[in-house]
Amino acid sequence: MAVHAQTWQPTPSATWNSGDGDRLTVPSLSIPGDQDRQPSPSSLRGRLQSLRRATSPARSKTSQSPEGSKGALGLTLLHEPSEPRVDFIFVHGLNGGSKRSWSASSDPSTFWPKEWLPCEAGFRHVRIHSFGYDSDWTKSQQSTLTMHDFGQALLADLYNSPNLKKNGNTPIVLVAHSMGGLVVKKAYLLARRDPIYADIASRIHSLYFLGTPHRGADSSAFVTTLISMSIGSGSKAFVKELVPGSGTLQAINDEFRHVCKDVGLWSFFEGVPTSTGPANTMIVEKESAIMGLPGEHTQYLQANHRRLIKFNSVEDPNYNILLRCFNTTIEEIEKGYVADKFENHRAQMKQIAQAFDVAERPDGDFIRMLDKLHTGSCEWLTTHPCFHDWLECDMMDANPTVKAIASGPSKMIPRFLWLNGPPGSGKSVASGHVIKCLESFNFDCAYFFFKNNEKPSLTQFLLSMALQMAESNFQIRHTFLAMMEEGETIDSHSDHIMVWNNIFLGRIFKMALSQPQYWVIDALDECPSRLLTTLMAMFSRIEPTVPLRIFITSRPNGHVERLLNQERIMRVEMHTGQADSLRDIDGFVRSRLSPSIIEDFNEEEGDLVAEIIEKSNGIFLWASLIMTRLDEAHSIEAMRRTLNQVPSEMSGMYSGILESIVESPNADLAQCVLRWVVCARKPLTTEELREVVRLDINQTLRTSDRFSQICGNLITVDNNFVQVMHQTVKEFLTGEQSDFYIPRSWSHARIAELCLQHLNGRNFNPPRTRRAPAVSSSANNNNNKTDPNNNNTVFDDYASNNFSYHLAHCSPSESTLHLLPLLGTLVSSNMLTWIERVAKTGRLSLVTRTVQNLRVYLDRQVATSSPLDADHQLTSRFVDDLVRLSAIYGPNLLSTPSCIYSLVPLLCPKSSIMHWKFGRPFKQKVLCAFNHDWDERLSSLTFASRVMAIACADQFFALGLADGEIRVYRQSTFELLTTMRHGEPVRRLANGNLTGVLVSGGLKMIRVWGPRQVLLWSAAVPEQPLSFRFSPDDSKVYVPLRNGEVYVYRAKNGARLDALEILGEELSDSDSDGGGGGGENQQKRTMPTLIRISPMLGIAAIAYRSSHLQLSYYDSDERVEAFEKEGYEDGGGLPPQVLDVAFNENAEQNLMAVAYQDGDVVTLDPWTLQQKHAYHLNAHSLAASPDGHTLAAGDSECVISLFAFDGLRLLCRIESLEERIMGIVFAPNSLRLFDLRGNTCNVWEPAALIKKNLADDSSSEDADDYLMPASNLVCTRTFDGCKAITVMTQAGDSNYVFCGREEGSITVHDISSGRVCAELQFHARMVDIRHLEWNAQGKVLFSVDASLRCIATKLSLPASSTTATTAVQKQQQQLQLQQFEHILDFRASDTVVQALISPDASTFLVSTQSGEELHVLPSEAAGSSSITQSSAHSQGKARWLTHPTDASRLLLFDNDSEVLHIFRWQDLVRETPERGISIDLPAELASTPVALADEWHSRPGLATLVQTVQMPHSSKTGFLTLDLAKIADNHPAAAAADATTTTTTTTTTRIEMQCVARQLVSSQIKSVLGIYRSNLFFMSGRGWVCSISLKNLAACKSYVRHFFIPSVWQTGGEPIARVVSKTTVAMAYRDEVVVLQGFLEFEHKSVFEEEGEKGEKGALMPVIKMS
């Protein structure tokens, strides 16, 4: 039976027939005979090359070449692979052409460098060019061109070629014929001489000479012909140079032999004479064609001079000789010259694979299919004309039509080829054959095998295809690397819509790809149905210009076909299970049976092969199974009985196999194996399966190679993975008709039970001590098996990764009640080990997936157990903790997984299960009021001016302020990165979708900033912009204005494009029925109140006062429609005002939301204008999450409501008693949102935004309707911005710290208890405190506020509050603090930079921008007024410091720490020369200008001063030290005794600064916290509090990491933190003091890295040392 193929006819005949289920009717094609479907290799190459011409960059140049058939002059690109690694350049000879010389005839298919070579093995990465020059001796005009000129032209073209500049310095191979060899040699010599061309010379790897007259053409006939033609047609200088003995040839040969040792030489000479009239002559004799140089390869070709490079077919022996030589050169290049590039390629792919979270290519599936592919099978598919037509589809044309290879009319060929057939008919094997075929012709092919047992997500599929495309295409690969460098993250947990839009639509499909791309997608119907709908919608929207062809397989008449028709996707259709499949089965059967057996059977029982084929019904799987059964028959009679007993249907076949299993002694074992194989989330290895069988039924298999035999060959073992032999086996076993019926729910419950028992076992017990590896890196994720102290079993990973999957898939019943206590035991005991193991993998997506599965399980358990059950409550609360762990502590867990045992439980809120179960046993405490419950608000940023706009990118977010500033913060730590000036209040901000470009706008000006915050361009606008949007590829910026116009700019350079027409020519009066004349209404509508644009959808929403919402479909038919809210249709009154609009750009949803002034939020279908849902909320601000799943609405009561966009179901409400919400924006990951309220930006990450089910995870598909309760009201602690702490200082060595606040008060905190002891209001209210200094000797507090008021206050501190046990005692302590005396009160003359107190508390120094003031307290005899002394020693950045070893002196650092001055405290008398002491920079900093800070860190009694600096041109941190002991004094004691002396007491004029440069572990220093004893404490960029010993700093090889401060506690600015004791750190968080008591006792020893190293080399086994 012939293969049936469908292909769409040209558009006029392709019609929709509503009577046939909207199926596109097509006529059946006539099928040619076999002889018509077996093209020769050369013709097949020609057919395949026709599509290469469609996408070749050179096709337009070639077709328009004025030289016609000879070919173009200069360098012409013939073929460019996606990943060029070698360049072949073909240079013709005398009177030749860049095309004609290399073609056997005028047939384009014989142009072998272009048509044949790209398809040859070994040429997958070879870029091919031809070079043409005017060597025509028959022209009448004279030519003075010489070989020097031709060689210079070739060299210049190589140097200037943009193609040769791509992808690095690829080696060059030059292939030359005849005189072209001399041109090539001359070009090489010129390149060696000229330094400009040194790079080209170094790239030339090999030279091929075919019939090149190195010593001239000796044939007398040839010379006579040359001269006669030259005389008759004009003198040609290059002809004379070919005469033997010419000076040109001698010069070239003499020089070439000295410089050719670095290149490969290949010389070929002609073996057949050339006919020159009546005689036959050797044009170039062997002696002239061979140079005789060392290392030269020589060989003859059986052809005359002209036919040396002309071949009729790929079978030509001469062609194959050349081809083999070419491949030898290519192999040499790949082995040596580009070995480093291969390594770089592997490193880049590993980096991308890790970023995408794609574990591996689907090579294993492909190899398994090839193993099943026997010789000759499936060739009917790849030799069929329909397959070839699909290959040749020209997608570069908007109307993709190609000429038929055979004569006939042109036809339209679709992008898709759909191979369908019944189960078991060999579709997957056919997919493997197609992949093999495409790869054999060097096509770029990405493939994916959907498998029912693994249920891959749509995101995983898309990222796998993207990764494969990046592997074969350097342009795609470098695009991904650039994306990663910009901080954009996309992985397997990303939303598939975002992946499709960002990776494919935004990047890959926008590239000018040099080659067509092929996708092979097998078993598409195994993709979950809801995801398949989305995938087909994506496919249908691929632009026709994208050179992508897609081969898909599935069963017929199913969901795939319905979606193909629904999306009107044109395709070529082919079927398995028919005539050609039967021929494959015939070949397979004959390959399994010996001819003698077939002959014996046929003599006695009939035609064996024919009977098998007839019974198979075209099902390859049936034939495979029957052959296995026949292999077990040892006689002809037994074979007959087997054939008679086995039914022809697969279900009957399976039943027979299962019956034999039931009767066998291994029935229980087989049932256990089948249960695990069918229900496992992923294929198990043989070792895993042996282990689970032992755990399940307590049977230990001796070997792992018996599984197939035990299960009647219903399962297979491929590459050590055990799987069902076919999807139909799983369907049969889980169907109730099976004797071995496997109930899925019960089986999942049993597997979940075994997983939980395993996780509760000894392997997952937490460490008894706090000794554990402190560091994890992706390079060491899977090295646990090599750890000699590791007791992991093969079942650990599966149980850890999939226990929640099986819980989510078991139905609640009485038989599953025991699972909840097991889960509760895990939460109470070994869950920390589970978290650590997940973190060691380098990915926390498993935590999120586990959260979703456990929520599904707990939600279902309500049917059989009370939600008040202790284990239910425990697990439910712990699931809530897991949600926050990943979000808040994720980066710290990934860098230090062992912190889950200590730091994380301690830092978690006290009410959390994590802290309650695992944090309480520690003596370390977190003392603060706010850390009692989880807070949905991660952070809150407050500013002096109003926050008016926000834009959010993947790693950063930007805030626009009313004072004209734009501040850019890091997403993870809320650290301020940079500040830009817009120049006017920033009312609008928007980020690019892909590039990191930022656009800002005010009333009259817009500015566009580059990824590095560099201003790209700016433009004035006539009206205020209402919003900004970028086009999907970031090439354009759309700017809707208040007057209704939409300006469009080119994002790259600001060029103004045509305005976007979003308004119809005339607005219907019916749009605003309800009063007033038409003219009045028209006037109201002339200035829109709102314009929102969705470039992704091509829709604009326009709102006018008292009018229906207008939707403009500007990207399609440019029509304008009005949406009429329900109740206001057909003139039903004046519609309410539209307040905001949010588009849902998820292609699955077809939704948008509108907020009205009457309080309703409405969702509608923007294409049909049908209202979907409504919710009364009084919302005025809307935002849609990028994934389209969530809608946020801010209402008049300062509450943010989160809805499921589809259905408008309330998920939760976030209440914060603050100002009105002015704007809401989601983060790109859709899990975080920002709101703007007055002067504050709040950052929220509510649990409701953790997706209801994983974006693509079909493991939770049964629980898609699960939603968080609508009554979930999230309340957050309100920060009092006025109470924000601005400065903090410790009261000496006591347990008290003073905190100055924004509203002018000073609070006293007891760090032993964490409570506020007193609040002092010395300064005016609402004037923030800027400086605080405490003098313990005099018990004086010196405070300075923003109004320049300086107050010195004497007060006594009580004993620690820990001694106060009663309320009366605490009240007495507060009264004691309220007893104070102001001893000094004055206003500074300028902005105060520093405030210091002398050691005896008698003198106060105030350093200002313009100088300093010294205030001396009066003595009792002098009266009551203080003495003030002003000077100007310090200005600008200069900093004062009390001498650490001489309290009577002051140090002043000036001029970026290049100069040190010493003064006396009591009167500021200088003790150094006027120019001070010069500080010599260390050698590491002297060569490169580095601006050092004038602020040094010191400790009383330690003569060493310290500061840190980022080393120039390096990632190292420099620890700078200054030893004051090296400063020599001249009679210091005498000088100190004479207070009136003015002589210089310091004789030192220079002092050397020391620098110790070290590479910290994956971070840099963010802030220095100070010096305690002999240790310098600092905070790293990732929030770790660390210390390094200052004793012998130069020899220090490591530092200590103590603990990390959660990113949500870091408010973005310089941290306000101090080391207040040997074990404790106090820090300010907004309006509270957080005391981390005892946390410095944690010690993680970290070895300094060598520069350039990644991860934590040398620190893989540090310990947590507990006191």
Side-chain angles (χ1 to χ4, degrees), residues 1122-1135:
F1123 167 67
E1124 298 179 346
K1125 184 174 180 285
E1126 288 184 0
Y1128 297 91
E1129 306 96 328
D1130 302 326
L1134 199 64

Side-chain angles (χ1 to χ4, degrees), residues 1040-1086:
L1041 303 179
R1042 175 69 70 185
N1043 61 6
E1045 293 184 276
V1046 179
Y1047 280 17
V1048 184
Y1049 297 91
R1050 198 174 299 282
K1052 185 177 182 179
N1053 53 23
R1056 175 87 176 276
L1057 306 177
D1058 292 339
L1060 189 66
E1061 297 295 335
I1062 62 172
L1063 304 179
E1065 296 181 0
E1066 184 177 352
L1067 293 174
S1068 172
D1069 292 338
S1070 64
D1071 289 345
S1072 57
D1073 296 339
E1080 181 181 351
N1081 288 334
Q1082 183 68 26
Q1083 185 175 358
K1084 291 180 181 179
R1085 289 193 296 269
T1086 55

Side-chain angles (χ1 to χ4, degrees), residues 94 133 146-148 150 177-186 189 193 209 211-219 222-223 226 237-258 283-285 287-291 293:
L94 185 65
Y133 57 98
T146 65
M147 272 182 279
H148 181 282
F150 296 147
H177 176 240
S178 189
M179 190 183 86
L182 302 176
V183 173
V184 164
K185 289 169 69 176
K186 189 63 180 178
L189 294 175
R193 295 178 199 160
F209 302 104
T212 297
H214 297 290
R215 297 175 180 85
D218 292 333
S219 169
F222 180 67
V223 173
L226 283 177
F238 58 84
V239 172
K240 297 178 181 179
E241 291 177 320
L242 293 175
V243 176
S246 72
T248 299
L249 293 180
Q250 291 179 2
I252 291 176
N253 292 333
D254 288 343
E255 184 178 359
F256 185 76
R257 63 190 177 90
H258 294 293
I283 300 298
V284 179
E285 299 289 347
E287 291 74 13
S288 183
I290 295 176
M291 294 176 286
L293 296 172

Side-chain angles (χ1 to χ4, degrees), residues 1151-1334:
L1151 288 172
M1152 62 181 293
V1154 186
Y1156 287 96
Q1157 197 168 25
D1158 63 358
D1160 285 345
V1161 174
V1162 170
T1163 59
L1164 65 135
D1165 187 327
W1167 306 106
T1168 64
L1169 299 181
Q1170 177 184 358
Q1171 182 170 323
K1172 296 293 186 179
H1173 301 90
Y1175 197 100
H1176 191 75
L1177 189 65
N1178 289 320
H1180 56 80
S1181 183
L1182 299 176
S1185 62
D1187 62 9
H1189 295 317
T1190 310
L1191 174 69
D1195 62 28
S1196 56
E1197 298 179 359
C1198 305
V1199 175
I1200 298 176
S1201 299
L1202 298 180
F1203 296 89
F1205 215 131
D1206 184 12
L1208 205 60
R1209 292 164 293 184
L1210 183 64
L1211 300 178
C1212 75
R1213 301 175 68 232
I1214 303 173
E1215 182 176 355
S1216 181
L1217 302 178
E1218 295 180 357
E1219 295 188 52
R1220 175 184 173 92
I1221 301 168
M1222 301 306 297
I1224 304 174
V1225 171
F1226 279 89
N1229 64 3
S1230 300
L1231 302 181
R1232 178 179 292 182
L1233 73 154
F1234 303 76
D1235 73 43
L1236 306 181
R1237 305 173 189 243
N1239 292 24
T1240 302
C1241 171
N1242 295 305
V1243 187
W1244 307 90
E1245 198 161 277
L1249 286 186
I1250 303 295
K1251 303 169 184 176
K1252 304 183 293 294
N1253 54 296
L1254 287 178
D1256 295 329
D1257 188 11
S1258 57
S1259 65
S1260 300
E1261 195 170 312
D1262 298 334
D1264 286 344
D1265 293 333
Y1266 172 73
L1267 287 171
M1268 295 188 65
S1271 60
N1272 184 16
L1273 177 62
V1274 177
C1275 297
T1276 185
R1277 187 182 75 89
T1278 301
F1279 293 124
D1280 190 347
C1282 296
K1283 289 282 188 178
I1285 295 174
T1286 56
V1287 63
M1288 180 173 67
T1289 190
Q1290 186 180 6
D1293 294 329
S1294 70
N1295 284 331
Y1296 292 95
V1297 293
F1298 296 96
C1299 293
R1301 297 181 178 266
E1302 191 80 31
E1303 42 80 63
S1305 66
I1306 300 172
T1307 51
V1308 185
H1309 300 256
D1310 188 340
I1311 58 176
S1312 61
S1313 63
R1315 71 181 186 88
V1316 178
C1317 300
E1319 181 175 350
L1320 310 174
Q1321 194 69 51
F1322 300 157
H1323 296 258
R1325 292 190 179 276
M1326 305 313 295
V1327 180
D1328 60 299
I1329 307 297
R1330 296 288 179 85
H1331 303 278
L1332 282 178
E1333 286 292 324
W1334 171 259

Side-chain angles (χ1 to χ4, degrees), residues 1351-1368:
I1351 301 177
T1353 307
K1354 193 165 187 174
L1355 72 166
S1356 59
L1357 298 174
S1360 174
S1361 63
T1362 55
T1363 61
T1365 57
T1366 66
V1368 174

